[in-house]
Amino acid sequence: IKQFLIQFGYQDVSDPIYKLASDRIKAKYVESWHYPQKSMDEFQLEDLNGQTDPYSYNHLDRDKKIIYNGQVKYFRDWNGRLVRGIVYHNINNMWWVILNDYKYTNKADFELFDPTEADFKARRVKEDRKPKKYLDRKEKLQEVSPRELINELKRRGFKIAG
């Protein structure tokens, strides 16, 4: 349909679709005013290797080590699995992580790390990641009897059947 409309003088103003993750990140570098690149043809991502953000609060990983473009860094995905990829600076404290030829993600600097032996022992983190204050309160509630909980809810104005 696009080719048909172009024959009649219409212009294609849609954004190009890039197949490779590296090309999509290069396009983001060109689109953003934060970076000097003006054309995707003038640079390769590998040319940026070894560079980092000038601000220290934007380039420190979980262990307070400096992150450089092109490094392999690890992170935990949404379900706790250990994942690795090649990192390139986005804006502020965010970093693009190339997972494979076709996929990439955006992670904050404090989520990235160099793994230790302990990180490799568990492919998936099983501990509860909720705040300690919440977990302590939940544990205290486990010790309270159901009758006390019902009385507390009634005291707070909730209507309890039964």
Side-chain angles (χ1 to χ4, degrees), residues 29-121:
Y29 267 92
V30 171
E31 288 172 11
S32 176
W33 61 270
H34 295 280
Y35 301 105
Q37 290 80 8
K38 300 297 177 214
S39 167
M40 285 184 54
D41 298 330
E42 76 180 43
F43 78 104
Q44 296 295 320
L45 280 181
E46 293 77 24
D47 298 342
L48 304 174
N49 288 357
Q51 297 177 7
T52 191
D53 188 63
Y55 303 106
S56 64
Y57 50 84
N58 288 339
H59 67 225
L60 297 177
D61 69 4
R62 177 184 79 178
D63 305 317
K64 305 298 182 221
K65 295 183 204 166
I66 296 176
I67 305 171
Y68 294 99
N69 287 335
Q71 280 185 321
V72 174
K73 288 289 185 177
Y74 287 73
F75 64 93
R76 296 279 178 184
D77 67 359
W78 63 273
N79 63 358
R81 292 192 187 273
L82 189 62
V83 183
R84 73 173 179 174
I86 300 171
V87 297
Y88 289 95
H89 187 253
N90 188 350
I91 60 170
N92 298 330
N93 72 332
M94 301 302 289
W95 291 77
W96 286 300
V97 183
I98 299 176
L99 304 174
N100 59 37
D101 287 344
Y102 306 103
K103 291 184 182 181
Y104 73 100
T105 187
N106 200 19
K107 292 290 175 186
D109 59 357
F110 55 82
E111 295 180 81
L112 303 170
F113 59 90
D114 292 325
T116 61
E117 285 298 319
D119 291 319
F120 284 121
K121 286 185 179 174

Side-chain angles (χ1 to χ4, degrees), residues 130-144:
K130 296 181 181 81
K132 183 173 178 3
K133 186 176 177 182
Y134 169 79
L135 294 173
D136 291 343
R137 185 180 294 154
K138 187 176 175 183
E139 187 177 316
K140 283 183 182 180
L141 282 173
Q142 295 294 330
E143 298 168 1
V144 178

Side-chain angles (χ1 to χ4, degrees), residues 1-7:
I1 294 174
K2 181 170 67 172
Q3 295 300 326
F4 177 74
L5 292 174
I6 289 174
Q7 292 175 359

